């Protein structure tokens, strides 16, 4: 489903499900701390725009973007045995290890 024109500009951030979360949760490096942001992504209408704008792999991003937890621009393997987000298959991932 395409986004309305108003969300295609930088205003997409206001529509993000994580918009009201504190920065220490959105930019957390640990799964346990990032869990609220990961849950918010499950219902977020702008995950694709989020990943395009943040470009986590290209920017060595730390935190949650597009339903995945990133550390140093790489997807973090979650304790549940998978990687956060279904689009992450085939991406190199760090073990979280609680660090």
């Amino acid at each position: 489903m395409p986004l309305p024109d108003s969300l295609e500009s930088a205003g997409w951030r206001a529509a993000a499900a994580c918009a009201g979360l504190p920065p220490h949760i959105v930019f957390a490096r640990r799964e346990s701390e990032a869990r609220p942001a990961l849950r918010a992504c499950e219902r977020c209408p702008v995950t694709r725009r989020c990943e395009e704008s943040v470009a986590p792999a290209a920017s060595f991003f730390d935190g949650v973007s597009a339903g995945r937890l990133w550390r140093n621009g790489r997807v973090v393997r979650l304790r549940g045995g998978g990687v956060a987000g279904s689009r992450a298959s085939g991406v190199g991932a760090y073990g979280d290890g609680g660090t």
Side-chain angles (χ1 to χ4, degrees):
M1 171 173 72
L3 293 173
D5 289 339
S6 61
L7 295 182
E8 284 301 325
S9 67
W12 65 268
R13 289 181 189 100
C18 67
L21 293 175
H24 73 274
I25 290 176
V26 176
F27 299 107
R29 292 176 49 92
R30 294 182 179 173
E31 178 183 348
S32 60
E33 297 165 0
R35 185 58 53 199
L38 292 167
R39 279 194 302 269
C41 288
E42 293 172 3
R43 66 181 193 284
C44 187
V46 294
T47 54
R48 180 175 293 180
R49 185 73 169 111
C50 177
E51 187 167 17
E52 290 170 356
S53 295
V54 173
S59 63
F60 300 101
F61 180 77
D62 287 339
V64 176
S65 175
R68 294 178 278 177
L69 178 59
W70 299 81
R71 188 178 304 138
N72 297 324
R74 298 184 71 188
V75 177
V76 174
R77 184 167 305 281
L78 300 179
R79 288 191 181 107
V83 196
S86 59
R87 294 177 299 237
S89 61
V91 176
Y94 287 126
D96 186 41
T99 59

